[in-house]
Amino acid sequence: MDKQELLTQLYDSILDTEPEAAAAAAQAAIDAGVDAMEAIEVASEAIAEIGDMFEAGEIFLPSLMLAGEAMKQSMAILSRHLHSGQATQTKAKVVIGAVSGDIHDIGKNLVATMLSVHGYDVIDVGVNVPPMEVIDVALREKARFIALSALMTTSMPYQQDVLNLLTETGARNRFFVIVGGGPVTSDYARRIGADGWGNSAVSAVRLCDRLLQSQETPPVSATFVQE
Ligand code: B12
């Protein structure tokens, strides 16, 4: 099978909601030397299409769950093969999590992986994490960044809650707070006073690099990195 066929196989296995086939397709792509990032992009297109079909009422929750599992299993294989291409020393510590009410973790996990292969020390606090818990971990770990993922319009306000709590507790200048996830726009990031926004795992790395290089103290006027 050539590269295009392997990528099509991966795409179709997610669209057909088949976790085992998705894992096998991901492994086959890696074995054939396909670039992991390219395969992740193809898989992301498939899961975005699943989201659209779910929203349009063309598929229902069980299929959404199976497709999510297919995506997750293929990501577990592909993300192990992401490389930074450069020897790095630890740049800074990042505490990352999906905010309260949100259990979507595929994108967050990708962001965490990309940051860690690019030299960041990443502490993943998981999903559905209450605002104060994220802050407690960031304080305890002396992190430089708090990265907040939200995939639903209903969970986005918790990103703002983290920022508000940081301000109220006098800790706002301790962390760069960056936000992302499907419905989170750069406008929204600016409105809630985040330091940065990115629309992909690759942009998250650029964003953190840029904020670090700025040598400014948070809060800063938001930096946006779009891929
Ligand atoms: C897979 C999926 C699921 C899986 C999740 C599996 C998992 N372990 O994550 C399951 C089946 C569990 C699920 C459940 C639900 N889901 Co769902 N789900 C999706 C789907 C199809 C894909 C999400 C995904 O993984 N995308 C792929 C990744 C790679 O992309 P990403 O997450 O956007 O992340 C990238 C960028 O955004 C960015 N990024 C992400 N985070 C961050 C953070 C920072 C700091 C930065 C800089 C960048 C960044 O980088 C990532 C990598 O490039 C989306 C549709 C969509 N278009 O998003 C719906 C979607 C998010 N789900 C939706 C809904 C409604 C639900 C449910 C409520 C369904 C239900 N009735 O139960 C539940 C909610 C559960 C909960 N409380 O969280 C809606 C949300 C609508 C809304 N209100 O906004 C969506 C949009 C579908 C739709 N169109 O209706 N879901």
Side-chain angles (χ1 to χ4, degrees):
M1 243 190 265
D2 69 15
K3 178 178 147 187
Q4 201 46 53
E5 285 169 328
L6 287 162
L7 289 173
T8 304
Q9 187 173 276
L10 175 62
Y11 184 92
D12 288 347
S13 64
I14 294 170
L15 223 57
D16 294 343
T17 67
E18 291 176 354
E20 277 174 32
Q27 191 59 56
I30 290 296
D31 292 345
V34 173
D35 176 53
M37 199 62 217
E38 196 177 342
I40 287 173
E41 275 161 20
V42 167
S44 299
E45 283 166 28
I47 198 72
E49 194 169 334
I50 287 284
D52 292 344
M53 288 160 74
F54 177 72
E55 195 171 10
E58 293 164 15
I59 58 165
F60 300 100
L61 191 56
S63 300
L64 179 70
M65 288 171 77
L66 273 175
E69 188 54 31
M71 179 73 180
K72 201 161 176 167
Q73 291 201 17
S74 58
M75 288 307 103
I77 292 165
L78 297 171
S79 46
R80 282 203 294 272
H81 296 272
L82 288 169
H83 301 291
S84 68
Q86 48 184 288
T88 46
Q89 59 198 56
T90 302
K91 293 176 184 167
K93 209 175 252 190
V94 182
V95 168
I96 188 168
V99 294
S100 281
D102 208 317
I103 62 159
H104 295 89
D105 67 355
I106 296 168
K108 167 190 71 63
N109 294 349
L110 272 177
V111 172
T113 303
M114 281 302 275
L115 285 170
S116 71
V117 300
H118 284 85
Y120 287 89
D121 182 3
V122 179
I123 295 159
D124 188 340
V125 288
V127 296
N128 189 18
V129 188
M132 204 55 221
E133 191 178 321
V134 182
I135 294 172
D136 282 343
V137 175
L139 284 168
R140 191 172 64 236
E141 295 288 341
K142 299 189 169 47
R144 193 74 189 110
F145 290 91
I146 295 178
L148 302 170
S149 182
L151 263 288
M152 301 191 296
T153 47
T154 47
S155 61
M156 283 163 66
Y158 291 103
Q159 294 181 325
Q160 172 141 46
D161 283 2
V162 171
L163 285 151
N164 291 347
L165 266 172
L166 282 171
T167 305
E168 283 163 25
T169 56
R172 180 64 185 94
N173 63 358
R174 303 269 298 266
F175 315 103
F176 287 117
V177 180
I178 64 169
V179 294
V184 180
T185 62
S186 53
D187 264 1
Y188 180 75
R190 184 186 289 117
R191 224 174 324 129
I192 65 173
D195 300 304
W197 167 90
N199 69 333
S200 72
V202 173
S203 66
V205 176
R206 299 233 171 96
L207 181 57
C208 290
D209 286 351
R210 243 187 246 179
L211 287 167
L212 267 189
Q213 281 154 16
S214 74
Q215 296 191 337
E216 288 184 68
T217 302
V220 298
S221 74
T223 301
F224 305 139
V225 180
Q226 183 146 16
E227 278 294 308

